[in-house]
Amino acid sequence: MQRQKRAAAIHDISGFGRCSLTVALPIISAAGIETSVIPTAVLSTHTGGLSGYTYRDLTEDLKPFADHWKSLGLTFDAIYSGFLGSFRQLDIVSEIFDELKGDDTLILVDPVMADHGEMYRVFSRNFVSGMRALCKKADIITPNMTEACFMLDMAYREPPYDEKYIEEILRGLLSLGVKKAVLTGVSFDMDTLGAACIEAETGRTDYVYRDRVEGFYHGTGDVFASVLLAALMRDKTLPEAADIAVGFTADSIKRTKAAGTDVRFGVNFEAGLYDLMKKLG
Ligand code: PXL
């Protein structure tokens, strides 16, 4: 194996419900990548359909975390942000990118804030412009259809979509100032679901799909983005990484559907880690 790579993941910890750091940490670590974390908030569960959760906002801790790491001279091959604990964290995370990145650091921003045409209940609509600004700092972003439409001031539409519409969104995402974008929740017919990628350097677009499984499974965006990052850090190309991430996410959903687990509890990604490692080579 080559020199061990190091990633920093900036997300919340939802104690129960398999999303954000409880997904990113095992997936990226299992790929052989040293994974450090900056927790943005600590919750008893995520906020998607579970009520009564505790919420400890860690806004004041983020910059001291990064300053300490900087004082230790730590360097990162990738910095990956996801669910942020407050509006102010948008600017703070932007500063942390500047503070911790080196010449070759890959910055991945998953603009976690909305799904199925609606903002997550903890975020107001003005979070969108802040997230758009944070995306400018990214090399690669991984919005779902709702997040992409909101950031591009386009009305959210339900699937199925056509290629012209998806290409318009992909080009719009590049105009935010990123090098690469991977759009999730792309569906041209009701039997398949997947992701579309675009790279600014070549203008090339790629599509990857699997069979659609009915139901809204929680945390799948985090599973997808974590696998995508792990695969990119293991030197896969963007379409290869997207294909691995779509396949891994679809398999995790299928497994969970077969087990009949509550969709709010997240997906069984754990059983797929061994095969994922083999795929990453
Ligand atoms: O999976 C996205 C996510 C992450 N973290 C928290 C959430 C959500 C989505 O609802 O509530 C706390």
Side-chain angles (χ1 to χ4, degrees), residues 9-274:
I10 310 177
H11 306 243
D12 71 285
I13 304 178
S14 288
F16 179 80
R18 290 183 288 197
C19 65
S20 40
L21 281 182
T22 63
V23 162
L25 190 51
I27 290 176
I28 304 167
S29 294
I33 295 154
E34 180 187 346
T35 312
S36 324
V37 302
I38 301 186
T40 57
V42 179
L43 296 82
S44 51
T45 69
H46 61 70
T47 66
L50 293 161
S51 53
Y53 50 81
T54 69
Y55 194 106
R56 186 164 306 273
D57 170 27
L58 295 179
T59 300
E60 304 308 328
D61 293 313
L62 301 195
K63 195 64 170 58
F65 253 66
D67 291 347
H68 183 214
W69 286 2
K70 179 83 179 169
S71 78
L72 297 174
L74 301 177
T75 57
F76 296 90
D77 298 286
I79 309 176
Y80 162 32
S81 71
F83 181 98
L84 303 183
S86 69
F87 186 80
R88 272 210 296 137
Q89 290 188 11
L90 289 159
D91 279 345
I92 296 172
V93 169
S94 175
E95 275 176 48
I96 290 176
F97 288 160
D98 292 337
E99 183 174 11
L100 295 181
K101 78 170 184 220
D103 292 341
D104 297 322
T105 305
L106 177 72
I107 306 275
L108 188 153
V109 172
D110 187 4
V112 176
M113 59 185 169
D115 209 352
H116 311 303
E118 288 186 22
M119 294 297 288
Y120 290 142
R121 67 176 97 154
V122 287
F123 299 129
S124 61
R125 206 46 210 258
N126 68 350
F127 202 82
V128 174
S129 53
M131 188 56 91
R132 197 187 291 126
L134 184 64
C135 283
K136 278 196 202 327
K137 290 273 179 83
D139 296 302
I140 175 159
I141 58 172
T142 54
N144 60 34
M145 286 296 300
T146 306
E147 291 155 347
C149 288
F150 285 4
M151 288 197 292
L152 298 176
D153 284 326
M154 291 168 73
Y156 171 75
R157 275 171 41 188
E158 293 289 337
Y161 309 111
D162 58 53
E163 205 165 312
K164 185 166 164 281
Y165 177 65
I166 295 299
E167 302 257 335
E168 181 189 344
I169 294 179
L170 289 174
R171 281 192 299 275
L173 293 173
L174 287 188
S175 75
L176 297 179
V178 300
K179 298 191 187 102
K180 298 173 187 189
V182 181
L183 178 64
T184 61
V186 173
S187 178
F188 293 136
D189 58 63
M190 293 319 275
D191 300 328
T192 55
L193 182 65
C197 327
I198 188 160
E199 306 192 49
E201 201 180 340
T202 56
R204 175 186 162 151
T205 55
D206 286 277
Y207 294 88
V208 287
Y209 316 97
R210 293 295 186 278
D211 290 343
R212 173 195 291 274
V213 178
E214 249 344 280
F216 292 149
Y217 286 84
H218 196 86
T220 51
D222 300 333
V223 170
F224 175 84
S226 300
V227 176
L228 184 86
L229 179 68
L232 290 172
M233 292 186 78
R234 294 290 298 266
D235 299 323
K236 302 295 180 196
T237 65
L238 186 66
E240 284 167 352
D243 185 59
I244 292 169
V246 169
F248 183 85
T249 309
D251 289 347
S252 302
I253 293 171
K254 260 189 238 151
R255 222 178 269 126
T256 311
K257 175 102 178 173
T261 320
D262 189 324
V263 296
R264 299 171 302 172
F265 294 178
V267 290
N268 177 357
F269 70 91
E270 295 89 343
L273 287 174
Y274 178 68

